[in-house]
Amino acid sequence: MEILIVGIAIYMMMTKNWLFYLVLALMLALYLYVSNLNRLMLGSAHVLTPDELIICLGPRFKCRLPLSLVMEARAVSLASAPQGDLLNVSVYREGERLYCLSRNSDVIQLNLSEPIMVKAPSSGPDKSRRGFVREILINADEPERFLETITKIVRPEKELDQIKSRQDTLKSVQDKTRQIIFLITPNLK
C-alpha cells in the first residue's frame, strides 16, 4: 500500500521523461523483490513428521533433524535476543547453539543427544559456514501445540529406551545373582 502512495506522489511531481520511467522501473523492481522475500518467508514453515523435524526459515536455512536425536523440547524466553537482519531473521551458530529465529517470541529450544552438522554462519571470530550444534532455537506459531505433538512423538522412544535399559540392568543383576548362588552352593555328590 505504501509503495502505491509513493508511486502516485512521484507520478504527480515528476515530468514524464526518461527519469520518471527509470524511477518507476526501480520502484517496480524493489516492490517485486520485497514481495518475493515476503512470499518466501510466509511460505517457510517447520514440518513435523513422525520421523523428523524439517526446520525451514525461508530460503536462508533448511535442516532435516531426525527426532531420534531430540532429547528435550521446551519453551524458553530469550534474555538477550539475537539481532536479526533487515527482515529480523537470525540464522547463525553461537558455540553449540543454533539460532534459527524470525522473532523473539514463541521460542522453542531443542536439546539433542548428539551434535549435528548444520550450514549456518558462526558468530565467533572464525565465521565458518558449517559447524556442529547440540541446541537449536526455533519459533513456533503455536508453541504449546508444537511441544505437545513433539513430546508425543519423541517421548515414547525415550521411554522404550529407558525400559530396555532397566530390563538389561535387571537381567545383568539376575545373571550376577545366579553366578554368586552357583559359587556359594556346595557341590553335593
Side-chain angles (χ1 to χ4, degrees), residues 108-172:
I108 304 293
Q109 179 178 337
L110 303 170
N111 295 326
L112 308 178
S113 60
E114 60 187 61
I116 63 165
M117 174 71 77
V118 294
K119 185 178 178 183
S122 172
S123 66
D126 63 351
K127 299 290 185 192
S128 63
R129 295 286 302 161
R130 293 182 183 266
F132 288 98
V133 295
R134 282 188 179 268
E135 292 180 5
I136 300 175
L137 296 173
I138 60 172
N139 294 113
D141 290 334
E142 299 175 14
E144 294 84 18
R145 188 168 148 219
F146 177 81
L147 287 172
E148 179 182 314
T149 305
I150 198 167
T151 302
K152 285 179 184 176
I153 294 171
V154 171
R155 190 158 286 153
E157 291 177 15
K158 304 297 182 201
E159 288 173 357
L160 285 175
D161 289 343
Q162 289 174 352
I163 290 170
K164 202 178 219 183
S165 173
R166 287 181 195 145
Q167 288 174 344
D168 290 343
T169 304
L170 181 61
K171 186 176 183 208
S172 173

Side-chain angles (χ1 to χ4, degrees), residues 33-128:
Y33 176 74
V34 170
S35 295
N36 188 44
L37 279 179
N38 192 26
R39 181 187 58 81
L40 288 173
M41 291 308 292
L42 291 175
S44 68
H46 307 308
V47 178
L48 183 60
T49 68
D51 298 326
E52 66 185 359
L53 172 64
I54 302 168
I55 301 170
C56 186
L57 193 59
R60 298 165 191 237
F61 185 78
K62 188 169 188 178
C63 172
R64 293 180 173 273
L65 176 64
L67 290 179
S68 60
L69 296 179
V70 177
M71 288 181 8
E72 178 186 21
R74 61 188 172 103
V76 294
S77 60
L78 298 177
S80 61
Q83 184 66 21
D85 61 2
L86 181 64
L87 297 173
N88 200 27
V89 174
S90 301
V91 177
Y92 68 91
R93 291 177 296 108
E94 187 176 75
E96 288 192 333
R97 176 180 277 184
L98 171 68
Y99 291 91
C100 187
L101 303 171
S102 61
R103 60 185 181 279
N104 297 329
S105 61
D106 302 326
V107 178
I108 304 293
Q109 179 178 337
L110 303 170
N111 295 326
L112 308 178
S113 60
E114 60 187 61
I116 63 165
M117 174 71 77
V118 294
K119 185 178 178 183
S122 172
S123 66
D126 63 351
K127 299 290 185 192
S128 63

Side-chain angles (χ1 to χ4, degrees), residues 10-21:
I10 290 173
Y11 179 78
M12 299 298 252
M13 292 183 189
M14 292 187 70
T15 59
K16 311 308 183 270
N17 59 13
W18 66 271
L19 186 59
F20 168 75
Y21 294 111

